[in-house]
Amino acid sequence: MSIYTRHSTKLAMVLAAFALVGTSMLAVTFEATRDNIAASEKKAKLALIAQILPPALYDNDIIRDAADLPAVPELGTAEPTLAYRALKDGKPVAVVLEAIAPDGYAGKIKLLIAIKSNGEISGVRVVTHKETPGLGDYIEIAKSNWIKVFDGTSLEKYPSNEWKVKKDGGQFDYMTGATITPRAVVKAVHKVLVWYSANHEKLFSLAGTGATT
Amino acid sequence: MLNALLVMIGLAVVLGAVLGFASLKFRVEGNPLVEKVDAILPQIQCGQCGYPGCKPYAEAISAGNSAINLCAPGGEAVMLRLADLLGVDPQPLAADAALPKPKQVALIDEQTCIGCTLCLQACPVDAIAGAAKQMHTIIASECTGCELCLPPCPVDCITMETVDEGLGGWKWKYPVYPISEEEKDTEVTS
Amino acid sequence: MRPLFPFHGGIHPAEHKSPSTQHGIAVAPLPARLVVTLRQHSGSPASPVVAVGDQVLKGQLIGAAEGLISSSVHAPSSGRVVAIEKQPAPHVSGLPDLSIVLETDGEERWVERQKMDFCNTDPALLRQHFQDMGVVGLGGAVFPSHVKLNASGLDTLVINAAECEPFISCDDMLMRERAAEVVKGISIAQYIMGAREVLIGIEDNKPQAIAAMQAACEETGFEVVAVPTLYPSGSAKQLIKLLTGKEVTSGGHPTQMGIQCFNVATVYTMHRVINHGEPVISRLVTLTGNMDEPRNYEVLIGTPIGDLLKLARPKADTTGYLMGGPMMGVPLLDLSVPVVKATNCIIATSQALFPPLPRAMPCIRCARCAQACPAELQPQELFWFSKSRNFEKAREYKLFDCIECGCCNYVCPSHIPLVQFYRFAKSEMLAHEKDRKAADLARERHEFREFRQEREKQEKAARHAAKAAEMAAKAAETTAGSGESVAGADDAAAAKKAAIQAAIERAKAKKAAVKPQNVDDLPAEAQAKIDEIDLRRAQASETAGQRVAIQKSDEGQGA
Amino acid sequence: MSEANYREIIWNGLWKNNAGIVALLGLCPLLAVSTSVVNGVGLGIATVLVMAFSNGIVSLARSWIPREIRIPVYILIIAVLVTIIDLSMNAFVQPLYLVLGIFVPLIVVNCNVLGRAEAFASKNAVFPSMVDGFMVGLGLTLTLAVLGGMREILGKGTLLSGIDLAFGASAKSWIITVIPDYHGFLLAILPPGAFIGLGLLIAGKNWLDQRKSARVEPAQASQAATAAA
Amino acid sequence: MSMNSPLVAEQATVNVIMLKVLAALLPAIAVYVFFFGPAILVSILLASVAALLTEAAVLHLRRYPLRVYLLDGSALVTAWLLALSIPPLAPWWLVVVGTVFAILVAKHLYGGLGNNLFNPAMVGFAALMISFPSHMTHWPAPDMLAQSHWSFTQQMDFMFGGEFPAGDRLDAITMATPLDTLKTQLHLDREISEIQSGKIFSILSGKGTEIIALFYLLGGLFLWQQRIISWHIPASFLAAMFGTAGLFYLFDPGHYASPMFHLFAGGTMLGAFFIATDYVTSPTTPMGKLIFGAGIGVSAYVIRVLGGYPDGVAFAVLFLNSAVPLIDAYTQPRVFGHAGKWFKGGKE
């Protein structure tokens, strides 16, 4: 046995021993925290939905009853998404949809929109965006209450040609100097409403996935 | 879970083996740092640092076995350059070494010299010419002024003479012109 | 009209030349004392060949050239040597320098003067003669001329008569009044170097000098070229570029391109040397600036400047004196310093002529200096590196191509003393270089010594082994005396022997107290011995180096 | 290990060789996370835990670790610790976990952790090593807290914003509004603000040190003068 | 005083240079007032006072002689350039914060006059743009286009108190700049020709702004004539922007504005002649200046068209500022007596 082999074997064994101990410890921790992590992730999602859809309005497990939605051009989604369906006493009361406004100032704006079964918006939240800090980012609820302008609006409330920012002759407020971002959001929300009004029947007939994530 | 364990252990075995091989294969002999340190030392070879010459001192510094403030002829300038090279904090020199000495060369009083060759053996740079029973002479251009020839001389015929370089050794001073009080401060300290 | 090739940059400082050209050249009176500095030229100083108390004649050699880059000095007048000592010298350091002090006797008795027929003399002899007669460049650099003359088959000989620095007018007056003699000097230089073409560059602000030179040059084939007035067109490299379009390579010599350049006053002294047998003992000096009677004087080398100034009568509000021009001159801190061969002009300064410069500000990188630099350097970068003592960078950015002409300083809106920084950095770098060379030498010698000691040890060990074997073989025969026969052969044994001798000597010395020995050893002999030893050392060091290299390569293969 | 040495360890970690403003190691989390006090302290505490335990374990295991593979072993130890903390944070303080996001796993490659394991723990006993890791981590936490505070006040005009993420909604009342009706100087929150702030902190530390040594020197000089007289 | 040569010098000083720069800005400022009202003068005054006070405070702390350095004019140049870069009706604190940031952080933290790596005015601008983007995009409409006209007192009330005249809103007097309009309208899938028929557009770029740009150009030519600036940076900047814009325009005139529009819109002219040419933050070698100017021209265009902000000149200048040491090092010109081109590290 050459000196090389002897030395290499020794080092390999030592390193393997450390790897064994370390990985085992990780495995134990992972098992111990697995349930807690899943629970807190679900809690986080529910908390987000609760912002736009009061929990009192439904009684089902909204996460479990989510339906797989293929990519829908009208929603701006390019990947399958989840549609969270809220039921009360087994009857549909609202749906929470993911949508994307593609024409933000600096790229896509990801939205979460809750629509009641009567076509009225319960609430909208921006999930992610890349708008200019301090300029376009007032669409975030943490920065401004602007996003609440959609609460209670519906296709009935404003005719289609008034689903615009005030600068373009519509109904929606905006901040001077930053019109592109609200314009994109308003347009996206309007498109979602239009799509919803045509498809809400189908939405509730989709099979639930039972997904928890 | 078992997969994760196996992957980790497998990786560990392979990497450990590779490292074990590499550590033997690519072992580096020698130390290029010694050359760099040696280049900074003034090469007077006086041994005041406690090492037999500049090179041994350079080796000791490179190995981290010696302080950087031992070179008396180099003074603060050499210490600072060593600190800079090695990335360590500057260390104050002993009080008597901090003052720079003027350049000196040894001079043999040829009337007194008995030609004993003891100074020849002491000179670290072979700057003393002469043979037994012959008068010795210092080759001034090669003398480093280390003073090592002084103690062995049985008749004390060697003295250190300060070299007056006159106009040849004159240098322009660093121009001082007022920018601000702040700059003046930093000038003084640097 | 000859085409000109303008160099980069340059400036137009106010000229101030007319005050000193109102009157012709006057001869300065003989002073009572002459101080002849032995360092009148660049290179090694001359060594004195007279002793204190000697009587000397006018033009007699008193300091002989030492080595190639050196030149001789001569007694400017007859008299007695009263001292050979350090005297204040017109150097920017203000340090004194070794000088010969003469007391003049007023008789002006000449040494025997020998004229030469240069056309029938070997140029090599002429060059040697110029060194012996103390001919150096009188434009300011005082480089020994015989070195510069060492070329043949030249294309172009450039005569530098640009005189671009403000205030100075000595070359101007020389050409106005002694054009014919200047031309004779040019012929000598042309003959020595075999120049095919001679160009005389004169700035166009000297129309009278141009006219005089043109008249004198008729039928000689020399061409007088009027060049635009632009400082520093009087710098040799810039003038060569201007006249020929060729750039002298950095670190190189113009002769490599078939060009050489001499100052007009230098060629005039060549004429005096050859056709009159007179060494360089006088020169023209412009006295100007804040003076009542500015004028050019023919002055003996060694005349104390204080004496000279009285002729031009400086005004009461004079603030100081300057040797040379305002761009490159040297301040005179002490008026007892003598006129040297480099002294072309003494300027009295005043508040009005030299208003104090505004306060220096930080560099704002406006790069006006780069636009003005005739060496096409980036002065703002050089300043930065010099200021921060980043000498390696300064070298990389070609600090040593700086000619210290001061153009950058002149245009700087922040009024930073740029040239001072370059002078500082250059002298630091040269000193570093010197230290480094000394350290390298010491290291090399130390390493060789160690190598030698190691070798001696090994040889000694080998010898002992051999001796032991020998003794074992021939048991009884050899008991004593064999060691000495072996030892006689090599160094190691000599060292051992020396040690024994030393012990004996020590014992003797004790007995004889400190009675001096070796007194009959002559210094010359000792010197010869040292030289011999040195030579042997150098050879040994070389072989040792090779041996070390071989050893190293062996180790490399072994590993 | 004497008491004086512990004092030195503490002084080194908190001030003299402060990880954030002297050693300048692990700047990535330092700059990215220090947008507010809470974020800074959150990551700081995670680092403290990792450093104390990694130093302890490295010190414990140091005699079994061959020189050649010490770096992989240290990294393995640190990675395990960080992953444990990452998982625990995700499980128990998820809101803070969401904020600190990717920076927690980055502690693995935080040079400070590896640096202390190599420079200190591999040569010292277990307890001093843990103290060293803890103190260096605490020094980093302090830097993060101060930098976070500076950036938060300048950028948002508040202090302790986001404290509710760690302590629940009731902690919202702890948030201090330093400057009411503030426009928000966004630059301080964005990465350039981190660099400028860090630069100011380093300058401040150097200034304090210089002032201290300037005060000590004249005192020594006067002492020497009186001694000479 | 040192007596070492040279003893003579031109009497030109730093403050003369700076004063000439300020003088060259005056005509453009006059035109600015003509089109947009006198509010800009208040901004400039405010910035000047803030700059001088900050400068004085820092100089005092650094123990610099106050008089010489306050009068060097560099702080005023920074203040004026910054004031001209931000909207004239910006609130007073915006101007002050920007100026203080410029002088304190960008100039003195880097070592003061001559030592700053980045153009202080542009650093101040960038800090404001990043921190207060909405304030920085409220540009007033030219007088002839504004829906309502505020009196000077009303403007001052707004600048210093943030109060609108009763019943009015900010929209009535502000509008997007031509560059901003172009950018937002392109998002709405409009063609350039259709957008440029809008009322804010004129022959070259925007109404009013194009005339101001023209006067910046004239001021720049004055500086060039005075040998304060060399032609290299402005020429290569404008040429590079013209070239890049021209290329895109040729490729698709429907979606990219004409090169002339880009030359006269936004901060191009101010940037080319007054900002990019700042000595301290630009290269010193002729070749370096050409590269620097061209770099700004191209990056300003790219940021303008593809980036997140309406104009890109400021960011392009800062970007290229950071490259100046590199550019300088690699464009060292040949030295007298040396053969061929010499670059850094080249050992000939």
Side-chain angles (χ1 to χ4, degrees):
Chain A
M1 205 152 116
S2 81
I3 178 166
Y4 285 113
T5 332
R6 212 162 52 230
H7 194 65
S8 301
T9 316
K10 185 190 151 206
L11 294 193
M13 287 304 118
V14 173
L15 201 54
F18 275 99
L20 179 66
V21 175
T23 317
S24 315
M25 279 169 68
L26 277 188
V28 173
T29 319
F30 181 71
E31 284 304 325
T33 54
R34 195 212 300 254
D35 292 344
N36 257 321
I37 290 174
S40 49
E41 273 173 0
K42 185 171 175 184
K43 214 171 101 191
K45 191 143 244 171
L46 277 175
L48 184 63
I49 292 174
Q51 283 187 24
I52 49 175
L53 190 66
L57 288 183
Y58 60 91
D59 55 9
N60 63 330
D61 183 342
I62 195 165
I63 304 271
R64 208 194 58 212
D65 289 350
D68 277 326
L69 208 58
V72 182
E74 289 87 344
L75 297 183
T77 52
E79 312 254 311
T81 57
L82 289 174
Y84 304 98
R85 293 167 296 187
L87 308 166
K88 181 120 188 179
D89 304 328
K91 271 183 275 178
V93 287
V95 67
V96 177
L97 295 171
E98 289 174 22
I100 287 170
D103 43 8
Y105 194 76
K108 293 176 178 175
I109 303 169
K110 205 167 158 194
L111 302 165
L112 203 61
I113 303 170
I115 307 168
K116 294 183 193 162
S117 44
N118 61 359
E120 191 182 292
I121 288 180
S122 167
V124 180
R125 283 298 175 271
V126 171
V127 184
T128 58
H129 74 89
K130 284 180 278 183
E131 300 305 278
T132 316
L135 199 56
D137 62 352
Y138 63 91
I139 54 174
E140 263 178 64
I141 190 72
K143 300 272 158 69
S144 146
N145 274 336
W146 176 82
I147 198 76
K148 291 188 176 165
V149 293
F150 294 107
D151 295 4
T153 55
S154 63
L155 286 179
E156 284 81 48
K157 195 168 171 193
Y158 304 128
S160 260
N161 61 356
E162 286 184 17
W163 275 86
K164 287 175 182 168
V165 292
K166 282 183 179 162
K167 189 174 186 174
D168 302 338
Q171 284 289 344
F172 294 90
D173 237 326
Y174 67 101
M175 207 165 83
T176 316
T179 40
I180 296 178
T181 311
R183 202 181 264 149
V185 176
V186 171
K187 195 169 133 193
V189 172
H190 180 235
K191 272 162 105 178
V192 171
L193 280 183
V194 172
W195 180 82
Y196 174 80
S197 68
N199 294 291
H200 70 279
E201 299 290 335
K202 252 193 272 172
L203 259 177
F204 284 92
S205 60
L206 280 172
T209 59
T212 51
T213 52
Chain B
M1 196 57 63
L2 195 64
N3 282 346
L5 250 164
L6 286 177
V7 167
M8 285 298 289
I9 290 170
L11 267 176
V13 169
V14 173
L15 292 178
V18 169
L19 282 174
F21 179 76
S23 67
L24 287 183
K25 184 81 189 170
F26 303 118
R27 179 171 293 164
V28 181
E29 303 284 354
N31 191 350
L33 190 61
V34 176
E35 299 299 322
K36 285 184 187 165
V37 175
D38 197 40
I40 291 175
L41 296 175
Q43 304 300 327
I44 303 228
Q45 317 290 358
C46 63
Q48 287 182 61
C49 49
Y51 294 89
C54 293
K55 189 73 174 277
Y57 181 40
E59 278 160 4
I61 291 180
S62 310
N65 295 334
S66 180
I68 58 168
N69 59 351
L70 300 180
C71 182
E76 195 161 29
V78 162
M79 184 275 295
L80 288 175
R81 286 180 65 194
L82 286 175
D84 192 43
L85 174 73
L86 302 168
V88 298
D89 290 334
Q91 297 160 357
L93 281 93
D96 54 328
L99 299 166
K101 269 191 190 169
K103 182 172 161 51
Q104 290 187 316
V105 290
L107 185 75
I108 294 179
D109 178 2
E110 291 167 3
Q111 308 295 308
T112 321
C113 176
I114 55 171
C116 66
T117 76
L118 286 177
C119 56
L120 262 74
Q121 294 159 39
C123 180
V125 291
D126 287 350
I128 307 178
K133 281 183 166 178
Q134 305 276 318
M135 184 197 67
H136 302 343
T137 299
I138 310 263
I139 307 165
S141 63
E142 283 167 11
C143 173
T144 60
C146 67
E147 304 185 2
L148 287 180
C149 51
L150 298 186
C153 181
V155 292
D156 283 344
C157 72
I158 308 177
T159 49
M160 299 308 293
E161 299 283 315
T162 302
V163 183
D164 175 19
E165 289 177 288
L167 274 177
W170 180 79
K171 288 195 292 188
W172 283 87
K173 288 202 178 57
Y174 188 80
V176 179
Y177 67 107
I179 286 284
S180 77
E181 298 297 313
E182 181 194 62
E183 192 142 312
K184 229 182 262 169
D185 287 358
T186 52
E187 240 358 281
V188 170
T189 51
S190 67
Chain C
M1 196 60 199
R2 166 172 285 276
L4 291 177
F5 305 88
F7 56 89
H8 180 263
I11 53 171
H12 288 107
E15 289 171 15
H16 295 289
K17 282 180 191 268
S18 57
S20 55
T21 56
Q22 300 303 314
H23 304 282
I25 300 167
V27 177
L30 180 69
R33 231 169 86 101
L34 289 165
V35 182
V36 183
T37 314
L38 288 162
R39 200 193 295 263
Q40 299 259 359
H41 44 262
S42 52
S44 24
S47 55
V49 293
V50 288
V52 176
D54 286 2
Q55 287 289 335
V56 293
L57 298 172
K58 187 178 175 96
Q60 182 183 331
L61 181 75
I62 54 174
E66 274 280 324
L68 177 67
I69 315 285
S70 184
S71 191
S72 305
V73 293
H74 303 78
S77 181
S78 60
R80 197 169 59 90
V81 177
V82 291
I84 300 176
E85 61 185 18
K86 285 200 170 177
Q87 286 279 334
H91 186 263
V92 65
S93 64
L95 290 174
D97 208 3
L98 194 62
S99 313
I100 297 175
V101 185
L102 296 180
E103 220 170 60
T104 55
D105 53 17
E107 293 174 21
E108 298 267 39
R109 274 176 293 126
W110 269 96
V111 73
E112 189 194 343
R113 280 169 279 183
Q114 276 187 330
K115 292 172 192 170
M116 284 177 101
D117 175 13
F118 71 88
C119 297
N120 295 313
T121 312
D122 179 15
L125 286 177
L126 288 172
R127 283 197 293 271
Q128 182 57 48
H129 189 56
F130 282 143
Q131 182 174 24
D132 296 341
M133 298 298 263
V135 179
V136 298
L138 295 186
V142 284
F143 192 78
S145 297
H146 64 276
V147 184
K148 280 173 75 178
L149 282 167
N150 192 7
S152 58
L154 222 53
D155 289 331
T156 310
L157 173 63
V158 170
I159 299 301
N160 186 348
E163 199 165 53
C164 57
E165 273 232 41
F167 288 94
I168 309 176
S169 63
C170 56
D171 290 350
D172 186 5
M173 293 310 290
L174 178 75
M175 290 186 287
R176 288 194 204 181
E177 299 192 4
R178 302 175 189 174
E181 290 158 289
V182 169
V183 171
K184 281 180 191 160
I186 297 175
S187 310
I188 299 168
Q190 186 200 21
Y191 163 74
I192 295 176
M193 310 191 76
R196 288 194 288 104
E197 176 191 39
V198 174
L199 300 176
I200 304 162
I202 309 177
E203 277 195 349
D204 57 12
N205 59 356
K206 303 175 191 61
Q208 286 169 281
I210 294 174
M213 286 300 288
Q214 267 167 346
C217 287
E218 267 173 37
E219 294 173 24
T220 57
F222 305 162
E223 189 176 344
V224 176
V225 187
V227 301
T229 302
L230 177 70
Y231 179 85
S233 60
S235 160
K237 287 182 176 180
Q238 274 63 33
L239 188 64
I240 290 171
K241 166 85 191 279
L242 190 59
L243 293 176
T244 68
K246 292 181 185 165
E247 279 184 17
V248 180
T249 325
S250 171
H253 300 292
T255 47
Q256 291 161 345
M257 293 173 305
I259 302 172
Q260 188 53 290
C261 178
F262 282 101
N263 178 267
V264 65
T266 314
V267 291
Y268 172 73
T269 59
M270 291 179 188
H271 157 72
R272 300 300 299 181
V273 166
I274 298 297
N275 297 329
H276 297 270
E278 293 174 9
V280 181
I281 52 166
S282 70
R283 67 157 297 148
L284 292 191
V285 178
T286 310
L287 300 183
T288 184
N290 197 37
M291 297 191 181
D292 282 333
E293 287 176 27
R295 191 170 185 176
N296 280 283
Y297 286 91
E298 173 138 23
V299 183
L300 291 181
I301 304 295
T303 306
I305 284 173
D307 291 2
L308 195 59
L309 285 171
K310 289 175 194 144
L311 300 172
R313 291 195 286 129
K315 291 178 188 167
D317 61 341
T318 297
T319 50
Y321 297 93
L322 194 64
M323 185 180 106
M327 296 302 293
M328 297 182 74
V330 177
L332 293 175
L333 307 168
D334 178 352
L335 291 183
S336 68
V337 299
V339 166
V340 291
K341 289 177 185 171
T343 311
N344 49 4
C345 180
I346 311 283
I347 303 171
T349 57
S350 70
Q351 291 277 340
L353 282 173
F354 297 93
L357 301 179
R359 186 194 172 88
M361 300 275 285
C363 171
I364 54 168
R365 290 166 47 84
C366 66
R368 287 176 180 212
C369 46
Q371 284 156 28
C373 180
E376 296 170 54
L377 293 160
Q378 297 288 308
Q380 78 282 1
E381 306 279 4
L382 294 174
F383 159 67
W384 191 250
F385 297 136
S386 304
K387 185 172 189 267
S388 55
R389 295 183 168 87
N390 194 346
F391 299 132
E392 264 322 295
K393 278 300 230 192
R395 189 190 296 279
E396 200 181 304
Y397 278 68
K398 318 284 184 237
L399 177 60
F400 280 102
D401 282 296
C402 167
I403 57 171
E404 298 178 27
C405 64
C407 289
C408 48
N409 231 112
Y410 183 82
V411 298
C412 180
S414 289
H415 301 288
I416 300 166
L418 294 166
V419 180
Q420 300 279 71
F421 277 100
Y422 308 148
R423 289 173 181 147
F424 157 76
K426 281 183 186 175
S427 73
E428 283 293 315
M429 284 157 81
L430 291 175
H432 278 190
E433 188 76 358
K434 214 165 120 190
D435 286 352
R436 203 182 53 76
K437 275 194 180 136
D440 282 349
L441 179 73
R443 181 189 295 117
E444 192 184 297
R445 292 184 67 90
H446 181 66
E447 278 169 5
F448 173 64
R449 178 186 146 90
E450 294 200 317
F451 167 74
R452 176 172 62 80
Q453 283 174 336
E454 183 61 26
R455 189 189 61 198
E456 280 167 8
K457 217 159 78 188
Q458 281 171 3
E459 279 169 359
K460 204 168 154 189
R463 215 165 41 240
H464 277 308
K467 206 163 118 190
E470 206 180 336
M471 273 161 73
K474 307 175 183 179
E477 273 179 305
T478 53
T479 43
S482 72
E484 205 163 310
S485 68
V486 180
D490 59 58
D491 295 5
K496 188 183 163 194
K497 193 176 144 196
I500 298 165
Q501 291 285 4
I504 298 165
E505 290 295 337
R506 239 191 336 255
K508 271 188 196 167
K510 260 181 203 163
K511 272 182 223 157
V514 277
K515 196 185 166 207
Q517 298 207 358
N518 296 331
V519 281
D520 47 356
D521 260 323
L522 285 170
E525 271 179 41
Q527 186 60 43
K529 223 167 270 170
I530 292 162
D531 290 345
E532 190 193 295
I533 291 163
D534 251 0
L535 188 69
R536 222 180 319 137
R537 274 211 186 97
Q539 284 165 350
S541 150
E542 213 173 81
T543 47
Q546 285 166 359
R547 254 178 252 176
V548 169
I550 291 166
Q551 243 175 4
K552 272 185 185 155
S553 69
D554 282 354
E555 278 166 21
Q557 281 161 2
Chain D
M1 179 123 324
S2 69
E3 194 191 332
N5 276 350
Y6 280 115
R7 197 175 293 154
E8 199 174 294
I9 291 173
I10 294 170
W11 179 242
N12 227 8
L14 291 187
W15 184 261
K16 193 168 160 245
N17 262 325
N18 186 292
I21 55 177
V22 179
L24 295 186
L25 293 172
L27 286 186
C28 160
L30 183 78
L31 298 176
V33 171
S34 61
T35 52
S36 71
V37 180
V38 172
N39 283 1
V41 173
L43 187 82
I45 291 171
T47 313
V48 168
L49 291 176
V50 173
M51 289 193 77
F53 286 106
S54 70
N55 260 15
I57 296 173
V58 166
S59 173
L60 200 67
R62 69 184 191 277
S63 52
W64 297 308
I65 305 175
R67 239 187 64 81
E68 294 89 338
I69 52 162
R70 67 192 192 287
I71 303 292
V73 173
Y74 297 162
I75 298 236
L76 191 73
I77 292 171
I78 297 164
V80 167
L81 280 170
V82 169
T83 314
I84 290 174
I85 287 178
D86 187 53
L87 290 171
S88 313
M89 273 178 80
N90 195 357
F92 305 112
V93 273
Q94 217 222 1
L96 191 63
Y97 173 79
L98 290 178
V99 175
L100 297 180
I102 58 163
F103 301 114
V104 173
L106 278 182
I107 297 176
V108 177
V109 285
N110 186 328
C111 319
N112 282 307
V113 188
L114 190 61
R116 291 325 289 176
E118 166 79 3
F120 196 95
S122 64
K123 297 170 189 157
N124 289 286
V126 176
F127 191 65
S129 297
M130 286 189 75
V131 174
D132 178 78
F134 185 82
M135 283 304 157
V136 173
L138 200 62
L140 185 73
T141 312
L142 281 179
T143 309
L144 281 166
V146 176
L147 189 58
M150 277 166 56
R151 293 177 66 186
E152 196 182 337
I153 292 177
L154 264 180
K156 288 192 255 184
T158 62
L159 266 182
L160 299 177
S161 70
I163 189 101
D164 49 310
L165 299 179
F167 293 95
S170 62
K172 260 206 161 114
S173 59
W174 300 357
I175 298 172
I176 308 161
T177 307
V178 183
I179 314 169
D181 294 332
Y182 191 54
H183 288 282
F185 190 51
L186 209 57
L187 186 81
I189 303 280
L190 295 172
F195 281 102
I196 296 170
L198 183 68
L200 290 175
L201 278 188
I202 294 172
K205 184 196 176 275
N206 289 346
W207 180 68
L208 282 177
D209 283 349
Q210 272 173 14
R211 224 176 50 150
K212 202 176 130 208
S213 65
R215 225 183 287 145
V216 170
E217 265 167 31
Q220 277 177 347
S222 66
Q223 258 178 1
T226 49
Chain E
M1 191 200 113
S2 108
M3 271 285 288
N4 286 319
S5 58
L7 293 178
V8 286
E10 278 179 353
Q11 291 290 315
T13 51
V14 174
N15 60 351
V16 171
I17 295 175
M18 298 295 175
L19 286 180
K20 281 186 180 167
V21 173
L22 294 181
L25 282 169
L26 285 176
I29 294 174
V31 180
Y32 206 126
V33 172
F34 176 78
F35 282 108
F36 294 94
I40 185 69
L41 295 178
V42 179
S43 281
I44 291 176
L45 189 69
L46 210 55
S48 304
V49 171
L52 288 178
L53 286 179
T54 316
E55 179 96 355
V58 184
L59 289 175
H60 177 74
L61 280 177
R62 299 182 65 194
R63 293 189 285 145
Y64 273 64
L66 276 192
R67 205 179 53 83
V68 189
Y69 284 87
L70 274 184
L71 292 183
D72 70 20
S74 60
L76 280 184
V77 170
T78 300
W80 286 33
L81 291 177
L82 180 61
L84 287 172
S85 314
I86 57 185
L89 277 179
W92 67 273
W93 53 263
L94 191 81
V95 181
V96 171
V97 166
T99 318
V100 171
F101 193 84
I103 300 285
L104 194 69
V105 176
K107 185 175 176 186
H108 280 290
L109 283 191
Y110 281 87
L113 179 65
N115 293 312
N116 47 306
L117 184 59
F118 297 100
N119 186 313
M122 289 303 99
V123 172
F125 174 85
L128 292 180
M129 193 71 203
I130 290 171
S131 302
F132 312 103
S134 69
H135 290 100
M136 291 292 285
T137 38
H138 292 168
W139 286 89
D143 265 358
M144 61 272 215
L145 299 178
Q147 292 163 20
S148 67
H149 293 273
W150 292 2
S151 70
F152 184 66
T153 352
Q154 284 172 324
Q155 289 183 347
M156 289 307 105
D157 281 349
F158 178 66
M159 274 179 80
F160 289 92
E163 289 164 25
F164 301 111
D168 221 337
R169 50 172 290 160
L170 199 52
D171 273 12
I173 58 150
T174 64
M175 58 196 302
T177 60
L179 273 177
D180 209 6
T181 312
L182 204 65
K183 200 160 194 168
T184 47
Q185 301 274 325
L186 280 171
H187 269 281
L188 298 178
D189 295 330
R190 297 222 177 112
E191 293 266 313
I192 288 279
S193 52
E194 187 189 346
I195 302 168
Q196 288 198 336
S197 62
K199 58 186 174 171
I200 193 169
F201 292 92
S202 176
I203 314 158
L204 291 169
S205 67
K207 287 207 175 82
T209 50
E210 58 183 10
I211 311 292
I212 298 173
L214 200 64
F215 274 81
Y216 284 139
L217 171 67
L218 293 177
L221 292 178
F222 165 75
L223 289 183
W224 172 69
Q225 184 268 332
Q226 289 285 307
R227 295 174 161 267
I228 303 283
I229 59 174
S230 72
W231 57 271
H232 301 81
I233 292 177
S236 66
F237 179 166
L238 297 180
M241 178 167 268
F242 189 89
T244 323
L247 220 63
F248 277 82
Y249 181 68
L250 284 179
F251 170 70
D252 182 0
H255 288 95
Y256 297 98
S258 78
M260 279 316 273
F261 171 83
H262 279 287
L263 285 194
F264 283 89
T268 311
M269 286 297 170
L270 184 67
F273 287 99
F274 291 89
I275 292 168
T277 52
D278 170 32
Y279 294 142
V280 181
T281 57
S282 63
T284 52
T285 63
M287 179 53 100
K289 283 177 179 170
L290 290 176
I291 295 173
F292 178 76
I296 296 179
V298 173
S299 12
Y301 181 81
V302 170
I303 298 173
R304 233 176 222 187
V305 174
L306 307 173
Y309 292 104
D311 200 354
V313 173
F315 293 100
V317 168
L318 292 175
F319 174 51
L320 266 292
N321 279 164
S322 67
V324 166
L326 189 75
I327 295 176
D328 264 342
Y330 280 92
T331 56
Q332 287 296 316
R334 190 191 69 96
V335 172
F336 186 96
H338 288 264
K341 279 224 161 63
W342 173 60
F343 289 102
K344 191 191 164 199
K347 293 282 181 248
E348 284 162 29

